[in-house]
Amino acid sequence: MNINISNQLRFFGILIVALTFTFLTNNFLNFWADWPGVNTFFANLGWFGFNQLQSPLEGSSLVQAWIQLLSYFLIIFLSMAYVLLTSNKKLMQDSKTLSSLSAYIIRASFWIVLLVGLVDMVLSFLRVEGFLVPLLGKDLGIALVRPIFRGTYVHFPIMLISLIIAYFTRTLGFLWLAVLVVVAEFQIVLARFIFSYEQTFMGDLVRFWYGSLFLFASSYALIHEGHVRVDVLYTNFSKRAKAWSNFLGTLLLGIPICWTVLLRGMWCKQCIINAPLTSFETSMSGYGMYVKYLMAGFLAIYALTMLIQFVSYFLSNSSILFEEAEDKNLKSSNTIQSTIQS
């Protein structure tokens, strides 16, 4: 077996994850910071079938487009450099690192939906009951009614705090989130049938937490083999046959599906993930929570964490197929040499 196969597989897996983060970074620059984007750069040059721009890029816009294009080449170089500098690293080690990264993103997302949900519910309650202005003052009370203000100055700081909390905690909190969904639904029942009180934000909180529970737990379930398998042949496969099945499945189905979700949802500003996020979209009910745009972001988190976990799965099964076989051959060779020498 070629001794470099393991590093080639490591490079392939790490590059997929790195390019995904580069794509997401450029997506932010395109639609939040108004950078031109790589596709606009290609259109500026008339490459790859893009219709040439009527107003060519120039000045800072041209520099920004070059930076975005070169970022992809830079990430390829950095991925290759990482693999070469850690050539003795095992596939399983990188697999565990990627699983840890996926788990961190999920932990941070859990704290985000928990804290944002609670804070936004309180603000929505105060707004419905007319307490925002008396408690917080006219200017701030009116500002908090605007989705862009609440998202920028309330939700985003909470997200940063959640990233810090997730770094210092190790629990994923799915059990707690499931309990909170039940509690949120239970308080609707109590308020409706005992106190005859019901508001839109109460149902929004349930949907917000339930949607996050369903989508964020997917990669966690994949880590622990928790997804339901329709086993017709797989159960009776040998260890290597199962590894080949998982290897090809992640390569041909899992990773492409995640990339399809990201590309379809984030290729343009009007796409189904970008459009709600960039406009801070809220529900049409009027007095609900201001978290609908975040629920669109759940799809991006789902695709990102599943892709990272699929790559981890790809590397762990590659280890079974290639590194374990290599180790067995090496042990057999050493045993034969020892026998000959003795």
Side-chain angles (χ1 to χ4, degrees), residues 324-342:
E324 288 187 6
E326 184 180 39
D327 291 341
K328 287 181 181 178
N329 292 335
L330 183 61
K331 288 179 181 178
S332 299
S333 177
N334 290 338
T335 301
I336 294 171
Q337 289 179 1
S338 299
T339 303
I340 294 173
Q341 290 175 356
S342 60

Side-chain angles (χ1 to χ4, degrees), residues 88-164:
N88 293 326
K89 209 169 184 180
K90 297 291 186 180
L91 286 163
M92 193 61 73
Q93 291 176 286
D94 280 329
S95 174
K96 291 179 179 178
T97 300
L98 291 176
S99 288
S100 298
L101 174 61
S102 178
Y104 169 74
I105 295 172
I106 293 299
R107 284 199 307 272
S109 300
F110 161 73
W111 286 106
I112 288 171
V113 298
L114 173 63
L115 298 178
V116 168
L118 292 175
V119 172
D120 201 90
M121 182 191 68
V122 171
L123 292 176
S124 298
F125 169 76
L126 294 176
R127 182 194 176 202
V128 169
E129 299 301 329
F131 294 144
L132 271 181
V133 173
L135 288 176
L136 302 176
K138 183 178 179 180
D139 292 339
L140 183 56
I142 294 175
L144 285 170
V145 176
R146 300 199 302 270
I148 189 171
F149 183 89
R150 193 184 294 191
T152 303
Y153 296 103
V154 177
H155 296 169
F156 287 177
I158 291 175
M159 292 179 193
L160 292 176
I161 294 171
S162 299
L163 291 172
I164 297 172

Side-chain angles (χ1 to χ4, degrees), residues 10 84 89 100 102 125 146 153 159 174 187 193 222 234 284 301 309:
R10 289 179 61 222
L84 292 176
K89 209 169 184 180
S100 298
S102 178
F125 169 76
R146 300 199 302 270
Y153 296 103
M159 292 179 193
F174 290 121
Q187 61 92 17
F193 293 103
L222 185 60
Y234 184 86
M284 300 297 292
I301 296 297
Q309 194 52 49

Side-chain angles (χ1 to χ4, degrees), residues 31 264-276 278:
F31 305 119
R264 289 285 295 170
M266 308 184 80
W267 184 256
C268 62
K269 193 168 186 177
Q270 293 75 34
C271 291
I272 57 174
I273 295 177
N274 276 338
T278 55

Side-chain angles (χ1 to χ4, degrees), residues 81-341:
Y82 168 77
V83 171
L84 292 176
L85 291 173
T86 60
S87 58
N88 293 326
K89 209 169 184 180
K90 297 291 186 180
L91 286 163
M92 193 61 73
Q93 291 176 286
D94 280 329
S95 174
K96 291 179 179 178
T97 300
L98 291 176
S99 288
S100 298
L101 174 61
S102 178
Y104 169 74
I105 295 172
I106 293 299
R107 284 199 307 272
S109 300
F110 161 73
W111 286 106
I112 288 171
V113 298
L114 173 63
L115 298 178
V116 168
L118 292 175
V119 172
D120 201 90
M121 182 191 68
V122 171
L123 292 176
S124 298
F125 169 76
L126 294 176
R127 182 194 176 202
V128 169
E129 299 301 329
F131 294 144
L132 271 181
V133 173
L135 288 176
L136 302 176
K138 183 178 179 180
D139 292 339
L140 183 56
I142 294 175
L144 285 170
V145 176
R146 300 199 302 270
I148 189 171
F149 183 89
R150 193 184 294 191
T152 303
Y153 296 103
V154 177
H155 296 169
F156 287 177
I158 291 175
M159 292 179 193
L160 292 176
I161 294 171
S162 299
L163 291 172
I164 297 172
I165 294 174
Y167 182 80
F168 291 102
T169 60
R170 288 295 177 266
T171 176
L172 292 176
F174 290 121
L175 292 177
W176 288 110
L177 188 54
V179 171
L180 288 171
V181 171
V182 175
V183 171
E185 189 66 56
F186 183 62
Q187 61 92 17
I188 292 177
V189 175
L190 288 180
R192 178 190 299 171
F193 293 103
I194 296 179
F195 302 102
S196 298
Y197 181 85
E198 184 176 7
Q199 296 293 344
T200 305
F201 67 82
M202 299 164 71
D204 287 347
L205 182 63
V206 174
R207 286 186 289 273
F208 184 59
W209 280 347
Y210 182 77
S212 63
L213 175 65
F214 176 78
L215 291 173
F216 295 168
S218 294
S219 64
Y220 176 78
L222 185 60
I223 294 172
H224 297 282
E225 294 279 356
H227 285 274
V228 175
R229 291 181 181 269
V230 182
D231 288 341
V232 178
L233 302 174
Y234 184 86
T235 303
N236 298 319
F237 283 174
S238 65
K239 183 180 179 180
R240 285 185 60 81
K242 288 181 178 179
W244 272 115
S245 175
N246 295 327
F247 177 89
L248 295 174
T250 54
L251 187 63
L252 302 178
L253 298 174
I255 294 172
I257 287 174
C258 294
W259 260 105
T260 300
V261 173
L262 290 173
L263 291 175
R264 289 285 295 170
M266 308 184 80
W267 184 256
C268 62
K269 193 168 186 177
Q270 293 75 34
C271 291
I272 57 174
I273 295 177
N274 276 338
L277 286 174
T278 55
S279 64
F280 292 92
E281 184 177 339
T282 60
S283 62
M284 300 297 292
S285 57
Y287 286 91
M289 293 174 62
Y290 288 14
V291 294
K292 186 177 180 180
Y293 76 100
L294 291 176
M295 296 178 74
F298 289 175
L299 289 172
I301 296 297
Y302 163 78
L304 174 63
T305 53
M306 285 294 285
L307 182 139
I308 294 172
Q309 194 52 49
F310 273 129
V311 173
S312 172
Y313 210 45
F314 170 82
L315 293 177
S316 64
N317 284 281
S318 297
S319 176
I320 295 172
L321 293 173
F322 302 105
E323 285 186 341
E324 288 187 6
E326 184 180 39
D327 291 341
K328 287 181 181 178
N329 292 335
L330 183 61
K331 288 179 181 178
S332 299
S333 177
N334 290 338
T335 301
I336 294 171
Q337 289 179 1
S338 299
T339 303
I340 294 173
Q341 290 175 356

